[in-house]
């Protein structure tokens, strides 16, 4: 470390480097998506709270997924929208690190909640007679709390390893938020330990859970095919296919982003991938569950009917 190196106090988020006209178009486009994300997940959360028929383990975990999606998008998108219509695109270093921490925590939480949801469906379809015993409210609460606590602790490990590094420049992040790999480029020291921990965490939090989900759904598919009733098969497959769509979108984009060779994904492509799982996935999740889930659509009709009758 040389004596002429100084610690940075703020950085500039370069974001999407396009012309002013396209920036305003993107602002409107992303604002619409963000609004749909908040409304969609908020409606899902409200329906689950208001309709007692949805007070089951499956929808208990779905409500947690809705909270994760709203928090995940709200951590990254508002700053991105502000930068699209502002010339001042700086962010203080401490809020930047906090954004990194929350982004990692919510991403980890989504991975674990999706795994827990797949386990719930596995028990419901493969062991229906023991479902109420295995998935008791105590077990559901423990699984949900463990997912949240572990997610924030694992994110804290990454942040502690980041803060041990000296940051002396450059003062620019070629991204629309403080994404962890982009933040590490600001360090003027060896970041190999950070890279190894990130890769190990990806194996543990992405490949591990994805393997469990695939094993669960292999067993689930086998059990669905043995259901004698055609209506029962359709109902089970509808619920599980919705979950598989969400799992595929989230895990697929995250694995491509963090585990594929970086030379295949230039920085601009990485921004698009980040945008996909920061904004598009949280927006699509409630649409997938509401459009493909008969119980959610039925609960929405009942809530609307109650409002009209008041």
């Amino acid at each position: 470390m040389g004596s002429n190196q100084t610690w940075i106090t703020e950085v500039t988020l370069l974001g999407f480097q396009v012309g002013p006209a396209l920036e305003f178009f993107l602002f409107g486009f992303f604002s619409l998506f963000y609004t749909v994300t908040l409304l969609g997940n908020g409606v899902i959360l409200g329906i689950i709270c208001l309709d007692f028929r949805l007070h089951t383990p499956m929808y208990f975990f779905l409500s947690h997924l809705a909270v994760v999606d709203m928090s995940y998008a709200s951590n990254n998108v508002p700053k991105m929208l502000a930068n699209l219509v502002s010339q001042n695109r700086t962010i203080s270093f401490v809020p930047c690190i906090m954004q990194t921490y929350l982004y990692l925590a919510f991403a980890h939480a989504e991975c674990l909640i999706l795994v827990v949801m797949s386990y719930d469906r596995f028990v419901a379809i493969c062991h229906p007679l023991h479902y109420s015993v295995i998935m008791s409210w105590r077990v559901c609460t423990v699984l949900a709390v463990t997912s949240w606590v572990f997610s924030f602790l694992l994110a804290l490990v990454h942040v502690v390893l980041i803060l041990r590094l000296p940051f002396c420049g450059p003062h620019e992040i070629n991204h629309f938020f403080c994404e962890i790999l982009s933040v590490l480029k600001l360090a003027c020291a060896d970041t190999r330990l950070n890279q190894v921990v990130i890769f190990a965490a990806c194996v543990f939090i992405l490949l591990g859970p994805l393997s469990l989900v695939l094993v669960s759904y292999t067993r689930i598919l086998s059990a669905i095919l043995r259901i004698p009733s055609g209506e029962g098969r359709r109902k089970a497959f509808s619920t599980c296919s919705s979950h598989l769509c969400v799992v595929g979108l989230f895990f697929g984009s995250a694995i491509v982003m963090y585990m594929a060779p970086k030379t295949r994904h230039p920085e601009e492509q990485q921004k698009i991938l980040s945008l996909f799982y920061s904004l598009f996935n949280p927006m699509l999740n409630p649409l997938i569950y509401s459009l493909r889930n008969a119980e959610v659509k039925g609960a929405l009709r009942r809530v609307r009917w109650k409002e009209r009758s008041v």
Side-chain angles (χ1 to χ4, degrees):
M1 298 293 294
S3 58
N4 61 341
Q5 291 175 328
T6 59
W7 288 77
I8 60 177
T9 57
E10 64 179 22
V11 294
T12 300
L13 295 171
L14 298 181
F16 299 96
Q17 301 173 49
V18 295
L22 187 53
E23 283 183 342
F24 278 101
F25 170 78
L26 291 177
F27 174 81
F29 187 65
F30 295 151
S31 295
L32 176 62
F33 276 33
Y34 181 52
T35 302
V36 172
T37 297
L38 296 183
L39 287 177
N41 285 286
V43 168
I44 291 289
L45 189 60
I47 289 174
I48 293 173
C49 293
L50 293 174
D51 195 319
F52 72 94
R53 300 184 191 183
L54 300 184
H55 292 178
T56 63
M58 173 183 169
Y59 295 102
F60 172 72
F61 294 125
L62 181 57
S63 67
H64 282 267
L65 183 64
V67 172
V68 171
D69 284 338
M70 287 190 291
S71 303
Y72 196 40
S74 297
N75 181 54
N76 302 337
V77 178
K79 182 62 177 175
M80 177 189 70
L81 294 176
N83 288 344
L84 284 171
V85 294
S86 172
Q87 296 300 318
N88 181 17
R89 301 184 176 184
T90 61
I91 181 172
S92 298
F93 189 66
V94 173
C96 180
I97 293 298
M98 194 64 192
Q99 189 181 56
T100 302
Y101 172 67
L102 292 175
Y103 145 74
L104 291 171
F106 293 133
H108 296 157
E110 180 144 0
C111 290
L112 297 179
I113 292 295
L114 288 173
V115 173
V116 172
M117 290 176 70
S118 70
Y119 176 69
D120 171 74
R121 291 300 85 205
F122 165 74
V123 175
I125 293 174
C126 298
H127 304 284
L129 298 179
H130 302 94
Y131 179 75
S132 60
V133 176
I134 297 175
M135 297 302 294
S136 65
W137 281 112
R138 181 180 178 181
V139 171
C140 292
T141 302
V142 170
L143 288 173
V145 171
T146 301
S147 298
W148 282 100
V149 171
F150 181 81
S151 299
F152 277 83
L153 289 178
L154 182 56
L156 185 61
V157 171
H158 289 293
V159 171
V160 169
L161 290 176
I162 289 174
L163 292 178
R164 74 182 179 86
L165 298 169
F167 288 89
C168 49
H171 294 250
E172 295 179 340
I173 293 179
N174 190 12
H175 217 293
F176 60 86
F177 75 104
C178 293
E179 192 270 334
I180 184 170
L181 297 179
S182 299
V183 171
L184 287 178
K185 295 178 181 179
L186 305 179
C188 48
D190 189 359
T191 62
R192 279 181 294 182
L193 176 61
N194 300 76
Q195 300 284 353
V196 169
V197 172
I198 291 171
F199 184 80
C202 286
V203 172
F204 182 74
I205 207 73
L206 288 177
L207 294 186
L210 181 59
S211 300
L212 293 175
V213 170
L214 293 178
V215 169
S216 296
Y217 275 95
T218 300
R219 299 279 300 276
I220 287 171
L221 180 61
S222 176
I224 288 176
L225 294 177
R226 293 197 299 269
I227 296 176
S229 167
E231 180 64 27
R233 283 197 300 269
R234 282 192 296 271
K235 183 178 179 181
F237 185 76
S238 175
T239 301
C240 294
S241 61
S242 299
H243 187 216
L244 276 177
C245 288
V246 174
V247 168
L249 289 171
F250 180 82
F251 282 92
S253 56
I255 288 173
V256 169
M257 176 67 183
Y258 287 100
M259 304 200 73
K262 294 297 177 288
T263 54
R264 296 184 182 179
H265 304 289
E267 290 180 329
E268 295 304 316
Q269 292 183 21
Q270 291 182 28
K271 292 178 192 177
I272 295 174
L273 285 172
S274 296
L275 188 65
F276 191 85
Y277 62 77
S278 295
L279 183 59
F280 297 159
N281 274 0
M283 181 193 69
L284 291 174
N285 287 354
L287 296 178
I288 290 173
Y289 278 107
S290 61
L291 292 177
R292 297 183 59 84
N293 192 299
E295 290 182 340
V296 172
K297 289 188 287 187
L300 182 59
R301 285 193 296 268
R302 288 192 293 271
V303 170
R304 293 174 60 185
W305 182 82
K306 287 180 181 179
E307 289 178 351
R308 291 177 180 177
S309 63
V310 173

